[in-house]
């Protein structure tokens, strides 16, 4: 995962309430493997979402694809949030708006990968769901540098 852009500025939400507005741009790369020896799988995903506790800061949609048997591929997805109103919900950012390079913000990346295999044509269908939740810390001085999420993710 790479956080490319992170910006907090004053603004108004859709109803005209003045609040801090956050813009976040990041890229998530996933390695997907199909270890099956006899069938391909059709892969879709729920939107990839970045949360600060329960406040959704950014989201992005992975493109669906078909993965052949015994192959792997890297999927790149842009996860972004444009002018997200904070309403004072992120106290770390309200104090450090001028010094964003010193900010350390704990975030969660969550999504579900859905894989479907048609084993005997469409007669036998197998579904595989994987719920993935990753803990990541956005550090203002590490923008543009990749963050390895191998040991910080839970797969259910």
């Amino acid at each position: 995962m790479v956080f490319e852009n992170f910006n907090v500025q004053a603004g108004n939400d859709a109803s005209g309430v003045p609040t801090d507005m956050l813009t976040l741009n990041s890229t998530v790369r996933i390695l997907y493997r199909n270890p099956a020896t006899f069938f391909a799988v059709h892969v879709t995903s729920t939107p990839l979402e970045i949360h600060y506790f329960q406040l959704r800061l950014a989201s992005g949609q992975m493109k669906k694809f078909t993965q052949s048997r015994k192959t792997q591929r890297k999927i790149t997805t842009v996860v972004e949030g444009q002018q997200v109103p904070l309403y004072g919900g992120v106290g770390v950012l309200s104090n450090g708006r001028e010094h964003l390079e010193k900010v350390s913000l704990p975030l969660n990346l969550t999504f579900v990968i859905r894989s479907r295999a048609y084993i005997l044509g469409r007669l036998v269908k197998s579904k595989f769901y994987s719920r993935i939740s990753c803990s990541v810390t956005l550090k203002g001085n590490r923008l543009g540098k990749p963050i390895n999420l191998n040991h910080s993710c839970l797969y259910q």
Side-chain angles (χ1 to χ4, degrees):
M1 179 173 201
V2 178
F3 289 105
E4 280 110 19
N5 187 7
F6 175 69
N7 189 13
V8 178
Q9 59 196 20
N12 295 330
D13 69 353
S15 63
V17 175
T19 184
D20 287 336
M21 305 293 270
L22 177 120
T23 300
L24 178 66
N25 188 4
S26 63
T27 304
V28 178
R29 273 197 296 175
I30 302 166
L31 178 69
Y32 186 88
R33 272 188 320 151
N34 179 9
T37 56
F38 295 112
F39 51 86
V41 292
H42 304 278
V43 181
T44 60
S45 171
T46 60
L48 281 75
E49 294 182 340
I50 296 176
H51 291 270
Y52 176 76
F53 292 99
Q54 293 180 354
L55 179 63
R56 185 177 64 163
L57 300 180
S59 67
Q61 183 66 45
M62 182 178 81
K63 293 181 181 179
K64 55 183 164 180
F65 61 92
T66 301
Q67 189 66 35
S68 302
R69 61 187 186 95
K70 289 189 168 184
T71 59
Q72 65 186 15
R73 79 168 61 180
K74 289 182 184 175
I75 304 114
T76 303
T77 304
V78 175
V79 181
E80 63 182 351
Q82 297 290 328
Q83 298 296 316
V84 178
L86 298 178
Y87 302 113
V90 186
V92 175
L93 298 179
S94 61
N95 299 339
R97 195 177 342 167
E98 298 83 26
H99 305 288
L100 288 178
E101 66 276 354
K102 296 179 183 177
V103 169
S104 180
L105 190 63
L107 301 172
N108 290 321
L109 172 70
T110 58
F111 60 101
V112 176
I113 289 194
R114 299 178 291 219
S115 304
R116 175 177 278 180
Y118 298 114
I119 298 172
L120 294 173
R122 291 196 177 235
L123 188 61
V124 178
K125 301 176 194 175
S126 293
K127 297 178 187 175
F128 309 100
Y129 286 27
S130 296
R131 181 172 176 77
I132 301 169
S133 178
C134 302
S135 297
V136 62
T137 301
L138 168 63
K139 295 185 179 181
N141 59 355
R142 304 254 323 145
L143 290 178
K145 297 178 183 172
I147 300 169
N148 191 351
L149 299 177
N150 284 343
H151 302 292
S152 64
C153 293
L154 295 174
Y155 304 95
Q156 302 170 0

